[in-house]
Amino acid sequence: MSTDPDLVPVPARRLVDAALVRRLVANQFPQWADLPVRPVPRGWDNQTFRLGEHLSVRLPTAQEYALAVDKEHRWLPVLAPQLPLPVPVPVARGVPADGYGFGWSVYAWIDGEPARLDSVGDLTGFADDLAAFLVALRRVDPTAGPQPGLHNWFRGGPLRVYDPQVRRAVEVLDRRIPGEIVTEIWRSALEAVWDGRPVWFHGDVAPGNLLTRDGALAAVIDFGTCGVGDPACDVAIAWTLLSGQSREAFRARLDVDPATWARGRAWALWKALIVYAGALPDDRSVAAEAHRVIDDIVSEYVTPGR
């Protein structure tokens, strides 16, 4: 399979319902056959169903996303004891059956709500806790850890692999964004080449993967894009959720150098651009949020410290 994301077709997702999940669980794990199954409205790469009160079932929606199942079962039990917040830990592994074609997982359920500006009590404290988590993750021994590849959509590798996608998105968005400054931000990040020691990264530090309880960061979930390499992709949250004082607290606690900050900004920009371009004209709310992120990135770039 190609190692160039531009040559990899968009995954053909297949969604399942609770009835199929019940059959999979009953046939492979009869000890849980009587537990209720309820869909959880989150996730793209995977569907999640709550199994009883203490378990969840995680099913990849496409073959490409299923590549992460082996990785999660191999590495999450290694990472979890070394991290300051709960992360998903696999309890059992299912196999393809009943018309479902991929490996799947049973996890311990983690209570919490996805992070939102209106659900976080102290955003600066939240940012500091998140940075502390990422510092601990980076300290885990990276020996034999998964290198960037299709299993995590090349996170941890060089930004240049996504250059064609960014250029196309800028063309599609045309006058909707300040194309010249956006291109400058992207090019400056391409020049900020990473030459550091490979470390562990999460790969998708997004609000939906950060669970809160009582207004505080309570857990970090969804390690499907984790790996070992350049950790700049984990810095993107500085623009997708944080701002002002919370952004500066995050940067200070994580001790981000200027080059990594530039690459992290570019990761956030890449995602916002392709989401914005892909949402037009079908989903105005998604397009509006992506536009907001792009505007914030441009403002912070033009006025550092904003």
Side-chain angles (χ1 to χ4, degrees):
M1 188 172 287
S2 172
T3 58
D4 181 349
D6 221 43
L7 300 178
V8 176
V10 176
R13 297 170 72 233
R14 181 199 167 185
L15 303 183
V16 301
D17 57 22
L20 175 59
V21 176
R22 291 189 192 97
R23 291 198 299 273
L24 288 169
V25 171
N27 291 336
Q28 298 186 36
F29 305 107
Q31 69 271 32
W32 299 321
D34 294 332
L35 296 179
V37 174
R38 293 166 286 170
V40 177
R42 68 168 72 134
W44 177 269
D45 300 4
N46 296 269
Q47 284 182 271
T48 299
F49 293 79
R50 191 162 183 178
L51 179 61
E53 293 301 313
H54 305 296
L55 299 171
S56 64
V57 180
R58 178 174 162 91
L59 303 101
T61 60
Q63 179 180 2
E64 293 87 345
Y65 302 136
L67 295 173
V69 173
D70 285 345
K71 174 179 64 180
E72 292 170 346
H73 280 260
R74 166 68 178 87
W75 288 106
L76 279 171
V78 174
L79 298 175
Q82 303 183 65
L83 298 174
L85 291 169
V87 301
V89 176
V91 174
R93 178 169 178 171
V95 298
D98 297 294
Y100 180 74
F102 315 123
W104 51 283
S105 306
V106 179
Y107 281 88
W109 175 259
I110 301 177
D111 277 322
E113 295 295 328
R116 304 185 313 273
L117 288 177
D118 61 358
S119 69
V120 174
D122 173 11
L123 192 59
T124 298
F126 178 96
D128 191 70
D129 290 343
L130 176 57
F133 176 90
L134 295 175
V135 168
L137 178 61
R138 293 180 183 186
R139 288 174 177 165
V140 177
D141 183 1
T143 302
Q147 302 295 309
L150 188 57
H151 68 93
N152 70 351
W153 302 96
F154 308 94
R155 285 168 172 81
L159 279 164
R160 191 168 296 278
V161 75
Y162 283 112
D163 189 52
Q165 288 188 1
V166 168
R167 291 176 182 275
R168 278 203 304 274
V170 170
E171 290 177 1
V172 168
L173 294 171
D174 193 19
R175 297 179 183 178
R176 293 182 174 88
I177 61 171
E180 185 173 338
I181 189 68
V182 163
T183 300
E184 178 184 326
I185 293 170
W186 178 254
R187 287 176 176 170
S188 68
L190 294 184
E191 295 172 0
V193 179
W194 177 70
D195 59 359
R197 180 181 68 90
V199 296
W200 276 98
F201 56 85
H202 178 277
D204 192 13
V205 182
N209 294 330
L210 306 174
L211 299 186
T212 63
R213 285 196 300 272
D214 299 323
L217 181 63
V220 179
I221 62 172
D222 195 348
F223 280 70
T225 54
C226 75
V228 167
D230 176 8
C233 53
D234 284 350
V235 180
I237 191 70
W239 294 271
T240 57
L241 180 66
L242 308 178
S243 62
Q245 186 177 353
S246 62
R247 181 182 291 154
E248 290 307 310
F250 177 78
R251 181 175 187 175
R253 181 63 176 265
L254 203 52
D255 193 22
V256 182
D257 63 86
T260 301
W261 191 251
R263 295 193 307 279
R265 182 194 290 120
W267 276 105
L269 181 62
W270 159 73
K271 186 64 176 288
L273 286 170
I274 63 170
V275 167
Y276 191 8
L280 293 175
D282 300 322
D283 195 327
R284 292 184 179 180
S285 63
V286 170
E289 174 59 17
H291 196 173
R292 181 201 65 79
V293 172
I294 294 168
D295 283 347
D296 198 26
I297 288 170
V298 169
S299 296
E300 186 268 345
Y301 179 79
V302 172
T303 309
R306 176 183 175 275

